[in-house]
């Protein structure tokens, strides 16, 4: 196998298995943000992507999909349970999202996490060319940077963390807190979504490992310097802007409104069905507005898309029950034969349909209790070419550091959220336009391409610095 100059390591390969019209099974790259961000890079340099193909016990040889070289890492059914559903999604995910749900600590989950991280690290270390670059993604693979460094001290390593990094008082609960910090510090550059995440990480490193830090640099005992910084992720705005212009999709948006009985306003929420997204709080606020007669179903219908997620993790099973019970009650109390309070869709949709919903929505509700960034907020903004529409945004999202002209909410404050929803529903056109113009400027200028370029620039800088230090030491 030819060694790759640039290796991406992520839990999932960026492909889905699809069956073509003539019955053939093929892999097609999934249109997710990360692929969009890295695709140009994967084509121009000699790149490869290490990840899991999404199915248990599947041993696949390396293959190419849409010109991207893919190196599948197999996971057994039991590893999926322990490493992925267990440690990643039931220990790290709740702990790093401020313990909104109680994290579960199990030693056998941790053992599987170490084993699987090593498998990913070995695959990357085998694939990468001499002096090449490895870019590791996200909380499922926090030990990979150190493992790759041990196997391949010649390569430059980046790590990007897509979710929040918690305050030390919470992080300290993790029984393997020092191992995880050391795992991450194997990288040359560690990227976070917000400056607060980077600050929390540096504080944990100082406190737990006692390493010296100066501004954004951690001085390691082996003489390396690790660069820790915020690189707020964004979206590829092009498909959203293009779809939003298409006449058929604009017609579909009108059809959606008509299908709901032409309410005066449409409110929209789009989330994976996850307890971090604040779906229950949002529903409660909207339900109370109806109960109190501050709005009616003719005034404002609420579409909630809750795409199925992590359905084998207990906390998600309970969440679904709670959300569906609450929605059932509100609809039962307030629906009429012509109008519905909440149109709830526990389904995934093609991107075309998502954009039609964004276009139909007068008010977008992003009320996460904690969210690394939240791309939905940016997608909504990208589609609003006519500068209409209002974004209600939780201050606990990474996006709220960048998007200032929103109706900002603390989702724990139900009264505050009710007032914010009313403000959004009643906002005059001119004010909507004034705010949306500035939101669009921010999102269109700071797109995912700008994000990956700035991260890669930091990595190049780190590589140059490492080579320089290496030469000095060996002069
Ligand atoms: C993690 C962090 C961070 C959702 N339902 C459908 C659908 N989606 C798409 C959205 C959006 C994406 O999924 C979700 O991204 P978010 O950023 O909102 O949230 P997470 O999934 O939690 O992502 C987050 C992100 O990583 C990137 O670093 O921002 O904080 O938690 O693109 O549009 N897409 C389609 N159908 C659906 O039904 N097509």
């Amino acid at each position: 196998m030819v060694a790759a100059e640039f290796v991406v390591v992520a839990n999932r390969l960026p492909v889905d298995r699809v069956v073509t019209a003539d019955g053939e099974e093929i892999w097609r790259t999934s249109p997710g943000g990360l692929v969009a961000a890295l695709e140009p890079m994967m084509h121009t340099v000699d790149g490869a992507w290490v990840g899991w193909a999404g199915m248990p016990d599947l041993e696949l040889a390396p293959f190419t999909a849409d010109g991207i070289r893919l190196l599948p890492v197999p996971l057994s059914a039991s590893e999926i349970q322990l490493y992925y559903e267990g440690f990643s999604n039931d220990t790290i995910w709740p702990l790093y999202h401020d313990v909104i749900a109680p994290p579960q600590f199990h030693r056998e989950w941790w053992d599987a996490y170490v084993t699987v991280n090593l498998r990913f690290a070995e695959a990357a270390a085998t694939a990468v060319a001499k002096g090449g670059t490895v870019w590791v993604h996200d909380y499922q693979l926090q030990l990979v940077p150190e493992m790759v460094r041990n196997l391949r001290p010649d390569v430059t390593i980046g790590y990007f963390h897509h979710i929040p990094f918690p305050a030390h008082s919470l992080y300290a609960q993790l029984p393997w807190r020092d191992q995880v910090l050391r795992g991450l510090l194997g990288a040359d550059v560690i990227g976070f979504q917000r400056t607060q995440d980077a600050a929390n990480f540096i504080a944990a490193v100082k406190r737990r490992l006692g390493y010296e830090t100066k501004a954004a640099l951690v001085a390691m005992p082996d003489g390396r310097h690790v660069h820790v910084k915020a690189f707020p992720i964004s979206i590829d705005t092009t498909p959203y802007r293009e779809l939003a212009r298409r006449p058929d999709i604009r017609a579909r948006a009108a059809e959606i409104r008509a299908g709901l009985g032409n309410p005066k306003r449409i409110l929209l929420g789009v989330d994976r069905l996850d307890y971090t997204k604040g779906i229950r709080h949002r529903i409660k606020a909207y339900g109370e507005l109806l109960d109190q007669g501050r709005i009616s179903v003719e005034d404002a219908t609420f579409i909630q898309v809750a795409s199925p997620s992590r359905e084998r993790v207990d906390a998600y099973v309970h969440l679904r029950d709670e959300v569906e019970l609450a929605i059932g009650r509100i609809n039962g109390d307030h629906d009429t034969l012509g109008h519905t309070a909440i149109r709830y869709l526990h389904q995934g949709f093609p991107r075309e349909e998502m954009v039609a919903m964004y276009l139909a929505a007068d008010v977008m509700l992003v009320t996460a209790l904690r969210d690394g960034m939240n791309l939905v907020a940016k997608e909504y903004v990208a589609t609003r070419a006519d500068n209409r529409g209002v974004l209600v945004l939780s201050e606990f999202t990474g996006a709220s550091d960048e998007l200032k002209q929103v109706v900002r909410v603390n989702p724990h404050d139900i009264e505050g959220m009710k007032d914010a929803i009313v403000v959004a529903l009643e906002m005059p056109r001119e004010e909507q336009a004034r705010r949306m113009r500035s939101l669009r400027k921010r999102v269109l200028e700071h797109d995912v391409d700008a994000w990956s370029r700035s991260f890669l620039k930091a990595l190049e800088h780190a590589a140059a610095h490492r080579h320089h230090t290496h030469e000095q030491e060996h002069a």
Side-chain angles (χ1 to χ4, degrees):
M1 194 184 64
V2 198
E5 286 298 327
F6 185 81
V7 176
V8 171
V9 189
N11 176 57
R12 275 300 306 273
L13 285 173
V15 284
D16 295 319
R17 200 158 186 152
V18 288
V19 183
T20 61
D22 37 15
E24 197 196 345
E25 283 200 354
I26 58 158
W27 293 95
R28 185 166 295 152
T29 47
S30 34
L34 207 51
V35 202
L38 303 178
E39 203 169 10
M41 168 101 209
M42 304 298 283
H43 290 304
T44 50
V45 302
D46 177 18
W49 189 307
V50 171
W52 172 47
M55 277 176 273
D57 300 305
L58 190 63
E59 295 272 356
L60 285 173
F63 63 104
T64 300
D66 295 341
I68 301 182
R69 195 138 58 96
L70 304 176
L71 311 175
V73 175
L75 292 181
S76 69
S78 131
E79 283 167 345
I80 294 167
Q81 225 180 354
L82 305 173
Y83 143 81
Y84 182 64
E85 290 161 1
F87 197 79
S88 300
N89 288 334
D90 215 5
T91 304
I92 294 293
W93 180 270
L95 180 66
Y96 285 24
H97 287 87
D98 287 356
V99 198
I100 295 166
Q104 311 293 323
F105 301 118
H106 296 298
R107 284 166 284 184
E108 54 173 356
W109 290 4
W110 164 253
D111 293 343
Y113 188 78
V114 175
T115 305
V116 170
N117 270 242
L118 188 58
R119 191 173 306 147
F120 277 80
E122 284 171 346
T126 309
V128 66
K130 182 139 192 56
T133 300
V134 173
W135 189 1
V136 183
H137 286 266
D138 227 1
Y139 65 102
Q140 303 92 352
L141 302 174
Q142 295 172 102
L143 307 178
V144 170
E146 183 188 28
M147 290 167 167
V148 172
R149 175 152 316 279
N150 290 339
L151 293 163
R152 290 294 304 272
D154 57 301
V155 304
T156 302
I157 304 168
Y159 172 89
F160 185 75
H161 193 75
H162 291 253
I163 68 171
F165 194 87
H168 182 258
S169 52
L170 295 175
Y171 182 71
Q173 289 183 15
L174 186 66
W176 308 278
R177 55 204 184 177
D178 294 357
Q179 290 97 311
V180 168
L181 292 179
R182 288 205 180 87
L184 293 167
L185 287 166
D188 296 289
V189 177
I190 306 179
F192 291 97
Q193 302 276 27
R194 311 177 86 159
T195 46
Q196 186 59 55
D197 299 319
N200 287 347
F201 176 76
I202 289 193
V205 167
K206 271 201 222 171
R207 176 116 181 225
R208 306 228 61 82
L209 305 178
Y211 296 165
E212 295 283 319
T213 64
K214 198 168 152 196
L217 289 177
V218 179
M220 299 293 289
D222 63 2
R224 291 186 303 119
H225 284 89
V226 179
H227 190 185
V228 179
K229 192 173 168 265
F231 297 88
I233 201 168
S234 191
I235 57 164
D236 179 7
T237 60
T238 312
Y240 290 95
R241 283 184 297 142
E242 285 177 359
L243 290 171
R245 271 201 299 266
R246 257 174 46 187
D248 57 327
I249 291 180
R250 303 193 70 80
R252 176 66 191 139
E255 196 176 271
I256 289 171
R257 183 175 287 271
L260 293 167
N262 280 316
K264 288 201 201 89
R265 297 270 187 275
I266 292 178
L267 299 151
L268 175 66
V270 172
D271 313 82
R272 280 185 306 99
L273 186 48
D274 194 297
Y275 49 79
T276 60
K277 304 289 182 184
I279 301 170
R280 282 176 311 158
H281 297 61
R282 188 185 307 162
I283 290 169
K284 190 174 178 61
Y286 173 74
E288 286 189 13
L289 287 174
L290 289 171
D291 289 343
Q292 292 169 344
R294 288 176 72 185
I295 57 173
S296 73
V297 290
E298 289 83 14
D299 291 336
T301 284
F302 174 19
I303 305 176
Q304 176 64 56
V305 175
S307 39
S309 184
R310 305 179 190 170
E311 293 183 289
R312 298 200 318 181
V313 178
D314 280 351
Y316 291 75
V317 176
H318 292 141
L319 173 72
R320 182 172 176 194
D321 288 345
E322 285 173 8
V323 164
E324 293 181 357
L325 181 67
I327 291 174
R329 286 201 172 141
I330 292 172
N331 283 347
D333 286 343
H334 297 283
D335 277 10
T336 64
L337 290 174
H339 288 92
T340 189
I342 305 178
R343 176 59 57 88
Y344 167 70
L345 303 155
H346 181 250
Q347 300 159 41
F349 291 94
R351 193 187 268 172
E352 288 75 8
E353 188 73 349
M354 301 289 291
V355 171
M357 285 191 250
Y358 288 148
L359 288 177
D362 303 288
V363 175
M364 184 79 213
L365 299 175
V366 177
T367 63
L369 304 174
R370 184 52 87 193
D371 212 334
M373 175 53 62
N374 195 290
L375 298 179
V376 167
K378 293 186 174 183
E379 290 165 4
Y380 177 68
V381 168
T383 62
R384 309 300 299 187
D386 61 2
N387 292 323
R388 285 208 207 146
V390 184
L391 176 60
V392 174
L393 183 63
S394 157
E395 63 189 75
F396 301 113
T397 62
S400 101
D401 280 4
E402 291 177 76
L403 304 180
K404 303 290 184 199
Q405 303 287 324
V406 297
V407 176
R408 192 176 310 275
V409 290
N410 166 6
H412 297 281
D413 170 10
I414 301 293
E415 285 306 321
M417 201 144 58
K418 284 157 66 180
D419 292 344
I421 291 173
V422 171
V423 165
L425 288 170
E426 291 176 353
M427 188 178 288
R429 283 268 171 86
E430 311 73 60
E431 191 176 346
Q432 293 182 25
R434 188 176 56 73
R435 290 171 180 248
M436 191 54 80
R437 257 195 299 275
S438 94
L439 293 174
R440 287 178 61 74
K441 185 164 186 297
R442 173 75 204 186
V443 172
L444 300 188
E445 282 172 6
H446 293 81
D447 63 0
V448 77
D449 189 44
W451 168 78
S452 61
R453 274 187 286 115
S454 71
F455 191 90
L456 293 170
K457 207 167 127 204
L459 262 184
E460 275 167 28
H461 189 77
H465 184 75
R466 262 165 31 81
H467 292 148
H468 178 69
T469 325
H470 185 77
E471 278 162 20
Q472 278 185 334
E473 280 168 4
H474 293 81

